[in-house]
Amino acid sequence: MSQNVTVAAHSKSTVTFPVQTISHPQVWWPYQMGAQPMYTLDTTVSGGNSTHEQFGIRTITTALVGKAPSAPDGVRQYSVNGVPFVVRGGGFAPDLFLRYSSTDISRQVALLKNMGLNVIRLEGHLPPDDFFQQMDKAGMLIDSGQQCCDFWETPGTATATMNLLTLSAQTIGENERDHPSVFTYSWSDNEPSAAVETAELKGFKAADFSQPIISSAEYKSSPQLGASGEKEGPYDYVPPNYWYDTSHFDSGDDRTNAGGSWGFDSEESAGDTVPTLDSINRFLNASDQAHLWQNPDFNQYHANYETGHGGYKFGTLFTFDTALTNRYGKWTDLASYVQEAQVQNYENTRAQFEAFLDHSTNAAAPSTGTIYWQANKGWPTLLWDLYNYDGDQAGSFFGAKKANQPLHALFAIDNNTVTLDNLSGTTQSNVSVEAKVYDTNGKVLDDQGVNGLSLAPQQVRNAVVKPKVPTSTPGNVYFVELLVKQDNAIVDRNVYWQPTRQDAVNWSSTLGNPQATMTTYADLTGLQSLAAAKVSATATTTSAAGPDGADRVTKVTVTNTSTTPTVGFFLRADVRRGTASGGEQAGDNQVTSTLWDDNDITLWPGESQTLSVTWKSADLKGATPVVSVSGWNVGRFDVKA
């Protein structure tokens, strides 16, 4: 298309071309639901400049659905290309000093997709266009929006300020409008005033920004945009069964810190996340490491240093450690503390994501999305992250990854039933689910299953199996193992360690607070008495292209070889730099470019699981690769890779 235009000096002119219709367009989808085709638009002004832009064709719609006392205006739900989906996201933080690296973003995209997240939330500090281009290509959705708690929330009403807001919104809209990854834009904690809303919506309209705009990240409303249908919180420790609660909510207008898996929660988590020992050794000095396991009251600089504990304070790990002590028992050194913390982080993060999938079928107040606060941090951290600044993949990472498997069975801990979900973009047929219940001595207490299941894309099926769970067992703990098979091959293994005495939340003291006040903690201390398991492993490495520039793939087969019915609990594998003799190099020897298909696994005697991991050979720095294997009741050992 072309036309001749006359533009007078010192003026501008808008050039409008006829609408062009693309027949049978290739449609852009989030990565789990389909492909990400991109179209290109080139423009050239004769004798002037040219542009080269890409865009994707897709349709985003949103509505307020359901209605319950907890959500009188309904809850926010999104659909892409007419297909409703459950948002499973994380808050994304830029580098602390706003240093931008395209290579670093590529690595983080690989981590996010490896966990099965489908959304990241940006709160202000919008990154360069390269960031959005990478998300377009990756099929990662972006919930874009404003920063809380700063000038933009209460800017005043001066005419110059209103003009600035309009121009800012127009610039944001122009930068984001053609990126198919951007599916919504929202104000943060507080809704805009009428004047601010008018000024900014004027700017978005001038930019022809067509994505849904939401009035608040909390359960609030504004004059033009109406009810947000979103809520926030919690931010500090809550037990796993907190996430399954649907009957409690804050009576305030914003519904903040309002219980578990109902509605759309724009930011929430159980607070502190303890990295692996490898990562801890990279950023905590000896003194801080000693305080980490010996002094819960200590203000850790990397946990948002603040004075004291309790209430809205995050400087210490006091609330997390109190739960850890009561639920799993006292630790004896840094290594045992870190091991317990990995298990608690795993079970809690898994529960958050699984609860929102499980309750997405609720009619009155469906759970339509959860955004973990946060996916990452702009510096090394002990608070709010699924992976650390160095890419460390601790228990929280693999708990999220397990919950977000594309074809997955979960144990709903509110009613002890099994839910099956299909998060892919295609129908999954010939699926079977088996649920086995064990006591801590390895005795099988129940074994049930169902065959011949079929699930449509994004379908969630509740109560496909109802295993019989005990009211008392040795050590007051039992295990539930879920095996999903498709065409007789295991595609998903999910293991729970359950207390016969569950956590009990004191809801009257909890509502409106960023963490749970507990009446009773679950008793999982029986895990301390697990017998030592015998585990073997083999590993083979080949050259192969993988995500994020990986050029090696290692297959690690882990087998529980115990001759007694002893569980191998929470087994972890790591790729490391080794020596010529096959052992590990001294010092920081972990290969950090790894992306695993599973980890932190649990096996019973005779069971075996092959883990696949991609990584970059340059990370070896000339060394020989080895794989270390360790676990809750298994000492660490190495195998050549």
Side-chain angles (χ1 to χ4, degrees):
M1 300 175 290
S2 64
Q3 60 178 277
N4 295 321
V5 181
T6 299
V7 186
H10 308 295
S11 67
K12 62 182 179 180
S13 178
T14 299
V15 181
T16 303
F17 289 96
V19 172
Q20 301 297 304
T21 300
I22 301 176
S23 299
H24 306 293
Q26 297 183 53
V27 179
W28 186 98
W29 290 91
Y31 78 94
Q32 294 132 320
M33 300 172 68
Q36 296 79 46
M38 298 291 291
Y39 286 85
T40 299
L41 174 65
D42 292 317
T43 67
T44 302
V45 179
S46 179
N49 71 323
S50 62
T51 66
H52 176 83
E53 298 181 61
Q54 288 192 312
F55 63 95
I57 297 176
R58 57 99 183 96
T59 301
I60 297 293
T61 55
T62 185
L64 296 174
V65 299
K67 197 167 186 179
S70 59
D73 295 319
V75 299
R76 178 68 52 191
Q77 184 176 60
Y78 289 95
S79 298
V80 57
N81 301 324
V83 179
F85 65 97
V86 178
V87 167
R88 306 179 313 281
F92 193 90
D95 175 81
L96 181 64
F97 298 106
L98 300 183
R99 298 167 294 190
Y100 185 80
S101 164
S102 180
T103 301
D104 175 65
I105 294 303
S106 176
R107 170 61 176 162
Q108 295 197 59
V109 168
L111 289 166
L112 292 164
K113 292 179 67 173
N114 185 264
M115 276 189 291
L117 300 192
N118 58 12
V119 168
I120 57 169
R121 181 180 167 204
L122 302 179
E123 193 176 17
H125 302 296
L126 299 179
D129 197 60
D130 173 81
F131 180 92
F132 294 92
Q133 291 177 15
Q134 290 204 43
M135 299 303 165
D136 292 341
K137 183 178 179 181
M140 180 66 64
L141 292 168
I142 299 175
D143 180 350
S144 185
Q146 296 194 2
Q147 179 75 39
C148 83
C149 318
D150 65 6
F151 171 82
W152 303 105
E153 283 198 343
T154 54
T157 58
T159 300
T161 299
M162 294 298 106
N163 290 337
L164 175 62
L165 292 176
T166 298
L167 291 173
S168 294
Q170 182 175 345
T171 301
I172 292 169
E174 290 172 348
N175 288 341
E176 298 187 4
R177 64 190 174 191
D178 294 332
H179 291 289
S181 55
V182 178
F183 77 107
T184 189
Y185 187 92
S186 66
W187 270 267
S188 189
D189 294 13
N190 295 314
E191 75 284 12
S193 66
V196 168
E197 181 181 41
T198 297
E200 296 201 30
L201 290 182
K202 178 182 176 182
F204 283 118
K205 182 178 181 180
D208 195 24
F209 184 80
S210 60
Q211 284 83 331
I213 301 175
I214 310 302
S215 57
S216 175
E218 295 185 359
Y219 206 83
K220 298 179 179 180
S221 63
S222 62
Q224 296 182 58
L225 296 173
S228 70
E230 299 186 6
K231 63 174 186 171
E232 290 184 349
Y235 300 96
D236 207 345
Y237 182 78
V238 298
N241 62 357
Y242 175 105
W243 302 115
Y244 279 87
D245 181 81
T246 58
S247 60
H248 294 93
F249 59 94
D250 187 354
S251 59
D253 291 337
D254 60 7
R255 263 56 176 180
T256 301
N257 305 312
S261 49
W262 59 265
F264 183 102
D265 203 317
S266 63
E267 51 184 64
E268 63 177 347
S269 79
D272 298 301
T273 46
V274 176
T276 65
L277 199 54
D278 287 291
S279 184
I280 287 172
N281 285 330
R282 293 184 192 119
F283 74 96
L284 286 186
N285 61 32
S287 175
D288 285 350
Q289 289 186 24
H291 282 297
L292 183 62
W293 70 275
Q294 294 177 9
N295 185 3
D297 284 311
F298 181 71
N299 261 306
Q300 286 282 358
Y301 186 63
H302 291 272
N304 286 23
Y305 186 90
E306 296 186 36
T307 303
H309 65 259
Y312 205 65
K313 300 288 186 182
F314 298 110
T316 75
L317 280 71
F318 181 85
T319 308
F320 177 88
D321 288 350
T322 300
L324 193 63
T325 304
N326 281 277
R327 299 177 84 248
Y328 286 98
K330 188 62 180 173
W331 46 89
T332 56
D333 53 20
L334 178 61
S336 59
Y337 170 78
V338 171
Q339 177 69 77
E340 283 193 24
Q342 301 307 300
V343 174
Q344 179 160 282
N345 278 149
Y346 183 106
E347 65 156 343
N348 198 297
T349 307
R350 177 178 60 180
Q352 177 179 332
F353 285 102
E354 287 186 341
F356 275 78
L357 286 166
D358 182 56
H359 288 163
S360 63
T361 58
N362 289 359
S367 49
T368 56
T370 179
I371 296 181
Y372 189 94
W373 205 250
Q374 295 169 285
N376 67 334
K377 277 294 188 69
W379 70 326
T381 186
L382 296 166
L383 174 68
W384 295 342
D385 75 310
L386 293 174
Y387 57 89
N388 211 341
Y389 187 74
D390 57 0
D392 181 59
Q393 301 158 38
S396 56
F397 181 95
F398 288 111
K401 177 176 174 59
K402 178 56 63 179
N404 294 315
Q405 291 295 300
L407 182 59
H408 179 61
L410 63 90
F411 183 61
I413 59 178
D414 57 341
N415 59 17
N416 295 330
T417 63
V418 177
T419 291
L420 183 67
D421 60 67
N422 171 22
L423 304 181
S424 75
T426 58
T427 297
Q428 302 296 319
S429 303
N430 197 22
V431 178
S432 66
V433 180
E434 182 181 15
K436 301 176 74 173
V437 181
Y438 303 81
D439 67 17
T440 52
N441 294 325
K443 180 181 178 181
V444 177
L445 305 177
D446 189 54
D447 188 351
Q448 298 187 46
V450 60
N451 301 314
L453 299 177
S454 179
L455 280 81
Q458 303 300 303
Q459 184 180 0
V460 175
R461 292 184 61 172
N462 302 112
V464 296
V465 181
K466 186 173 177 58
K468 298 175 183 177
V469 299
T471 56
S472 64
T473 61
N476 301 314
V477 181
Y478 62 94
F479 293 93
V480 178
E481 181 186 37
L482 305 181
L483 298 174
V484 179
K485 293 182 180 180
Q486 189 171 31
D487 299 325
N488 294 318
I490 295 176
V491 295
D492 183 50
R493 183 194 305 272
N494 194 6
V495 176
Y496 297 79
W497 43 102
Q498 288 293 105
T500 55
R501 185 189 75 193
Q502 281 284 356
D503 295 283
V505 176
N506 183 337
W507 284 103
S508 63
S509 299
T510 293
L511 292 177
N513 291 315
Q515 72 281 313
T517 299
M518 302 300 297
T519 299
T520 306
Y521 286 100
D523 182 7
L524 292 159
T525 56
L527 294 171
Q528 298 278 9
S529 301
L530 288 179
K534 294 182 179 180
V535 171
S536 68
T538 59
T540 58
T541 299
T542 57
S543 298
D548 189 37
D551 58 357
R552 295 290 186 274
V553 60
T554 298
K555 302 285 187 179
V556 184
T557 299
V558 183
T559 305
N560 186 334
T561 59
S562 302
T563 56
T564 58
T566 304
V567 64
F569 179 48
F570 213 72
L571 307 172
R572 179 186 175 96
D574 282 286
V575 180
R576 300 185 180 277
R577 288 183 288 275
T579 63
S581 61
E584 299 173 24
Q585 287 188 357
D588 182 11
N589 56 29
Q590 186 186 39
V591 172
T592 58
S593 58
T594 54
L595 288 170
W596 294 85
D597 67 345
D598 201 359
N599 217 329
D600 290 339
I601 63 172
T602 296
L603 301 170
W604 277 266
E607 288 188 332
S608 181
Q609 184 170 343
T610 298
L611 310 177
S612 179
V613 57
T614 60
W615 48 280
K616 299 177 182 178
S617 59
D619 273 6
L620 286 178
K621 301 177 182 179
T624 301
V626 299
V627 172
S628 69
V629 178
S630 60
W632 179 277
N633 58 337
V634 174
R636 183 158 144 179
F637 63 93
D638 298 332
V639 294
K640 291 183 178 181

